Amino acid sequence: MPVTIRDVAKAAGVSITTVSRAFNGYDDVGPDTRKRILKVAKELNYRPSHVARSLVLQQTQNIGLLISDFNANRGAHHFLFDVMAGVHDRLSSLGYDVTLVSTTTARQRLVSYIDFCTERRLEGVIVMGMRLDDPYMQEVAEAKLPSVGIDLPILSRYCGYVMTDNVNGAKLGMQHLLAKGHRRIGFVNGYQKAAVSVDRLRGYQLALESAGIESDPDLIVHSNFLVEGGEVATELLLSRVPDLSAIFYASDLMAIGGMRYLHRVGKRIPEDVAVVGYDNVDVGEWSAPALTTVSQRRYDMGVYAADMLIGMLQRNEEPGGRLLPSELVIRQST
Amino acid sequence: MPVTIRDVAKAAGVSITTVSRAFNGYDDVGPDTRKRILKVAKELNYRPSHVARSLVLQQTQNIGLLISDFNANRGAHHFLFDVMAGVHDRLSSLGYDVTLVSTTTARQRLVSYIDFCTERRLEGVIVMGMRLDDPYMQEVAEAKLPSVGIDLPILSRYCGYVMTDNVNGAKLGMQHLLAKGHRRIGFVNGYQKAAVSVDRLRGYQLALESAGIESDPDLIVHSNFLVEGGEVATELLLSRVPDLSAIFYASDLMAIGGMRYLHRVGKRIPEDVAVVGYDNVDVGEWSAPALTTVSQRRYDMGVYAADMLIGMLQRNEEPGGRLLPSELVIRQST
DNA sequence: TTGACAATCCAAAACGTTTTCGGTAATTTA
DNA sequence: TAAATTACCGAAAACGTTTTGGATTGTCAA
């Protein structure tokens, strides 16, 4: 049905070889024949088949964007969508296609994620929304397929990552709180198994340490990065240590939940307890009071992940671990 | 590099024809040969090339997910991510791949959106985040490529759509406000050019009409669906008609912005002015007060769009316009 | 015994490109 | 004028599958 290179060759009275060369900018085709071929091609609405091209060239220019469990990760759209945008913008500007992959897809089809990718001859994968203890993670790390993870600090021959410098980010948030004079500072962390969680905890403790304050285990509680989680975590925290004067949350969403609880029990923010979040997600700007937070360059993470992957593919650079600096965004909650 | 059908044929001592048939479940291959072939294939880690398959079958099982301007649409992630999830979940469970397409991509490469799709032999497209007056829209509507739009009520031989029943949705929100006794109700609409805007305006007016209230143009103002827009729109609205007792916003984000302004000028919600939004986006649950809103089934919109497209492709059904009902979610802002 | 009929298998063409290796004609050089 | 070079073009193989149209057995009924 679609018009092929043979059609335009016939119409232009040349061989398919010449058409191919004219299209790919070779210099051994006469200027008038080239013009004629291009004109004929335009008239016929010829579009070279990417799949035929992929077959003979043995490269698809197609890279996968793996979102662990798409449906289950819907709550994380505040983070994931921006990363996606960065990945796609960069990749497509470099001439690559990006196809969506989800672990659920693979499970339904009863093929492993890596089988899915090799069947489609994907040249690489960018992985996000996955936890370190996800059973798929091992597959990703051990695969020969070049990949780069977002917030997944796993390094191997074919696997790099980009993430925020979470220990310094957390330190930044804490230093701000400490500078305001707070001494009893609660910390609501995310999943214990999330890579970012261990780093943010480190940053929290380091900041306390260099301020000469001993870390109190009662002040630390784990949750799930989401609003409801932040709410119950805050309740727990306040019941354990009622005299805290500030809380540092490992995500803006949890901070929102926390503030909701604090409002409910009549605590004023920031007078009674100061709050800082993590992520710099749009919701934080709209909350009352507007949320002080540690910003994460989500879009850039996507861009850099794309760059690293392409570096591996085109200039076979070694994969590495790229850390993006965080920045403190001070608003009304502190 | 990757192992081909020829490799497994050789290793199993049969022809490639037989391997192909064994893999595709034909019945004219002996039970023992089949077992041997499958075993050998597993040992060699053979994965049939999707691209070779696409070439000979003349179908790629690949459909495009077009997001108008990915980067510019980042603010709409609250809506788009869920739709994406629905589209991808359904499409992948039906054996289709989905590749991301953006109008920016096409522009960079200097090929039209439709050229991009035919080069890759995409079998159909789902379009979202696009405005009716987008220059690309004409291309979409006129193309021979099967497509279905999200919130883009354009119907043609190859183009269907799915969207929320916005006029009834808006009526629902308004009836709630009217039942609460409000008579002077402001309406903050989205872009005038957005398809959903004209429907929601209709619903607003219809509701007033059947309540016997005359529509006052001063009570209607257009904005951009986003928080800041809602804020300035509310200021404008209040300056024009200070005695209004309720405001209906065409998006939750604008409602959030509106509430922010109302708080700033000392109006209590809902005592002084009641607020209802549209979308039922997560932020609305977290705001103070929690936002009454008209829900939109975002994930389902994606699912239904996928179903409609596949119906066109596999059972060549006529494209149609599918309207999803809205539901009122009553919370504390009314 | 012989044809018919299953049951298995295979060779080759096709899908739409790119690329290698030449080939022909025109132009330059000796 | 002959040889060498240049400019332009084409035939054919290759990429990894599927499918068509037989071919080769063995089995069974007549």
Side-chain angles (χ1 to χ4, degrees):
Chain A
M1 201 61 187
V3 27
T4 77
I5 198 177
R6 214 173 308 271
D7 298 325
V8 357
K10 195 161 299 176
V14 294
S15 76
I16 61 171
T17 309
T18 308
V19 177
S20 174
R21 287 220 272 261
F23 256 79
N24 294 318
Y26 284 68
D27 57 353
D28 62 344
V29 33
D32 39 349
T33 14
R34 158 170 283 127
K35 251 174 258 155
R36 180 160 35 98
I37 289 174
L38 260 30
K39 189 168 70 76
V40 166
K42 178 142 295 184
E43 287 169 2
L44 295 184
N45 238 304
Y46 167 68
R47 282 288 137 193
S49 161
H50 187 75
V51 352
R53 202 158 204 283
S54 296
L55 183 60
V56 56
L57 257 21
Q58 291 287 81
Q59 48 169 324
T60 56
Q61 301 267 99
N62 196 343
I63 91 106
L65 182 52
L66 174 60
I67 302 184
S68 169
D69 182 335
F70 211 141
N71 198 6
N73 261 307
R74 276 204 275 155
H77 65 262
H78 292 269
F79 180 83
L80 296 178
F81 196 85
D82 277 0
V83 178
M84 270 182 67
V87 167
H88 178 263
D89 278 6
R90 185 50 139 255
L91 245 24
S92 70
S93 83
L94 292 173
Y96 285 82
D97 292 352
V98 11
T99 99
L100 255 29
V101 188
S102 176
T103 52
T104 47
T105 310
R107 214 170 305 153
Q108 281 164 357
R109 308 255 213 108
L110 300 175
V111 298
S112 77
Y113 132 81
I114 192 75
D115 288 343
F116 184 92
C117 293
T118 56
E119 273 185 8
R120 279 146 192 82
R121 302 300 190 258
L122 301 185
E123 301 186 7
V125 195
I126 288 177
V127 184
M128 59 188 208
M130 193 173 282
R131 290 162 56 175
L132 279 177
D133 59 342
D134 191 303
Y136 270 84
M137 204 50 229
Q138 204 182 353
E139 232 184 300
V140 174
E142 291 172 356
K144 291 249 191 291
L145 185 68
S147 64
V148 5
I150 305 283
D151 279 345
L152 290 168
I154 291 191
L155 207 53
S156 72
R157 175 73 192 80
Y158 295 100
C159 181
Y161 65 91
V162 7
M163 64 190 302
T164 301
D165 182 348
N166 286 292
V167 7
N168 274 315
K171 255 164 70 177
L172 232 53
M174 286 299 291
Q175 281 163 355
H176 171 63
L177 251 17
L178 290 163
K180 290 263 181 181
H182 298 283
R183 285 298 169 265
R184 302 279 287 162
I185 305 175
F187 181 48
V188 177
N189 207 353
Y191 307 114
Q192 214 144 357
K193 291 291 188 172
V196 301
S197 297
V198 338
D199 286 351
R200 290 177 193 171
L201 179 58
R202 273 245 6 265
Y204 168 80
Q205 291 173 321
L206 254 45
L208 286 180
E209 198 171 305
S210 50
I213 302 175
E214 201 166 344
S215 174
D216 177 355
D218 274 356
L219 281 167
I220 299 172
V221 43
H222 282 272
S223 181
N224 65 353
F225 287 121
L226 300 181
V227 173
E228 289 73 18
E231 208 164 351
V232 318
T234 305
E235 180 170 9
L236 172 60
L237 207 51
L238 274 178
S239 73
R240 290 213 295 229
V241 9
D243 64 327
L244 53 72
S245 71
I247 307 181
F248 185 28
Y249 293 86
S251 83
D252 283 352
L253 261 39
M254 292 192 298
I256 300 281
M259 295 202 295
R260 203 160 69 157
Y261 177 78
L262 291 171
H263 277 134
R264 198 159 58 233
V265 299
K267 300 272 190 188
R268 290 165 309 160
I269 304 168
E271 294 81 0
D272 298 331
V273 13
V275 167
V276 3
Y278 209 114
D279 272 352
N280 192 21
V281 117
D282 52 12
V283 196
E285 307 176 43
W286 312 330
S287 66
L291 184 65
T292 292
T293 189
V294 181
S295 79
Q296 210 170 172
R297 294 159 59 190
R298 301 180 295 274
Y299 183 86
D300 288 340
M301 290 175 77
V303 170
Y304 292 144
D307 280 341
M308 184 183 293
L309 191 60
I310 298 309
M312 293 158 73
L313 294 177
Q314 293 186 343
R315 304 174 292 277
N316 72 338
E317 299 169 0
E318 287 282 322
R322 174 153 193 178
L323 254 40
L324 301 199
S326 304
E327 198 174 312
L328 186 67
V329 178
I330 300 177
R331 289 195 278 243
Q332 280 79 53
S333 68
T334 53
Chain B
M1 201 62 187
V3 26
T4 76
I5 199 176
R6 216 173 307 271
D7 298 325
V8 357
K10 196 161 298 175
V14 294
S15 76
I16 62 170
T17 309
T18 308
V19 177
S20 174
R21 310 189 91 107
F23 256 79
N24 294 318
Y26 284 69
D27 57 352
D28 62 344
V29 35
D32 41 346
T33 12
R34 156 167 287 128
K35 253 174 256 158
R36 180 159 37 97
I37 289 174
L38 260 30
K39 190 167 71 76
V40 166
K42 178 141 295 183
E43 287 168 4
L44 295 183
N45 238 304
Y46 167 67
R47 280 291 137 190
S49 161
H50 188 76
V51 352
R53 200 158 205 283
S54 296
L55 183 60
V56 56
L57 256 21
Q58 291 287 80
Q59 48 169 327
T60 56
Q61 301 268 97
N62 196 342
I63 90 105
L65 181 53
L66 174 59
I67 302 182
S68 169
D69 183 336
F70 211 142
N71 197 7
N73 261 307
R74 277 205 276 156
H77 65 263
H78 291 270
F79 179 83
L80 296 179
F81 195 85
D82 277 0
V83 179
M84 270 181 69
V87 168
H88 178 264
D89 277 6
R90 184 50 137 255
L91 244 24
S92 70
S93 82
L94 292 173
Y96 284 82
D97 292 351
V98 10
T99 99
L100 255 29
V101 188
S102 177
T103 53
T104 47
T105 311
R107 214 169 303 153
Q108 281 165 355
R109 310 257 213 103
L110 300 175
V111 298
S112 78
Y113 133 81
I114 194 72
D115 287 344
F116 184 93
C117 292
T118 57
E119 274 185 7
R120 277 145 193 83
R121 302 300 191 258
L122 300 185
E123 302 187 5
V125 196
I126 289 177
V127 185
M128 59 189 208
M130 193 172 281
R131 288 163 57 173
L132 280 176
D133 59 343
D134 191 302
Y136 270 85
M137 203 49 230
Q138 204 181 355
E139 233 186 298
V140 174
E142 292 172 354
K144 290 250 192 291
L145 185 68
S147 64
V148 4
I150 305 281
D151 279 344
L152 290 169
I154 292 191
L155 206 53
S156 72
R157 176 71 191 83
Y158 294 99
C159 181
Y161 65 90
V162 6
M163 65 188 304
T164 300
D165 182 349
N166 286 292
V167 8
N168 275 314
K171 255 164 71 176
L172 231 52
M174 286 298 290
Q175 281 162 356
H176 172 64
L177 250 18
L178 289 164
K180 290 262 181 183
H182 297 283
R183 286 296 170 267
R184 301 280 286 164
I185 305 175
F187 182 49
V188 176
N189 207 353
Y191 309 115
Q192 213 145 357
K193 291 291 188 173
V196 302
S197 297
V198 338
D199 285 351
R200 291 177 193 171
L201 179 57
R202 271 253 355 274
Y204 167 81
Q205 290 173 321
L206 253 45
L208 286 180
E209 197 171 303
S210 48
I213 301 176
E214 202 166 344
S215 174
D216 176 356
D218 274 354
L219 281 168
I220 299 171
V221 44
H222 282 272
S223 180
N224 65 352
F225 287 120
L226 301 180
V227 174
E228 288 72 20
E231 209 164 350
V232 319
T234 305
E235 180 170 10
L236 174 60
L237 207 51
L238 273 178
S239 75
R240 289 213 296 228
V241 10
D243 64 329
L244 53 73
S245 71
I247 308 181
F248 186 27
Y249 293 86
S251 83
D252 283 352
L253 262 37
M254 292 193 298
I256 300 282
M259 293 202 296
R260 202 159 71 159
Y261 177 78
L262 292 171
H263 276 136
R264 197 160 58 236
V265 299
K267 299 274 191 186
R268 290 165 307 160
I269 304 169
E271 294 81 0
D272 297 332
V273 12
V275 167
V276 3
Y278 210 114
D279 272 351
N280 192 21
V281 118
D282 52 11
V283 196
E285 307 175 44
W286 311 330
S287 65
L291 185 63
T292 292
T293 189
V294 180
S295 80
Q296 211 170 169
R297 295 158 59 189
R298 302 180 294 274
Y299 184 85
D300 288 340
M301 289 173 78
V303 170
Y304 292 145
D307 281 341
M308 184 183 294
L309 191 60
I310 299 308
M312 293 158 73
L313 293 178
Q314 294 187 342
R315 302 176 291 277
N316 74 338
E317 298 168 0
E318 288 281 322
R322 174 153 192 177
L323 288 181
L324 300 199
S326 304
E327 199 174 313
L328 186 67
V329 178
I330 300 176
R331 288 195 280 243
Q332 281 79 53
S333 69
T334 52

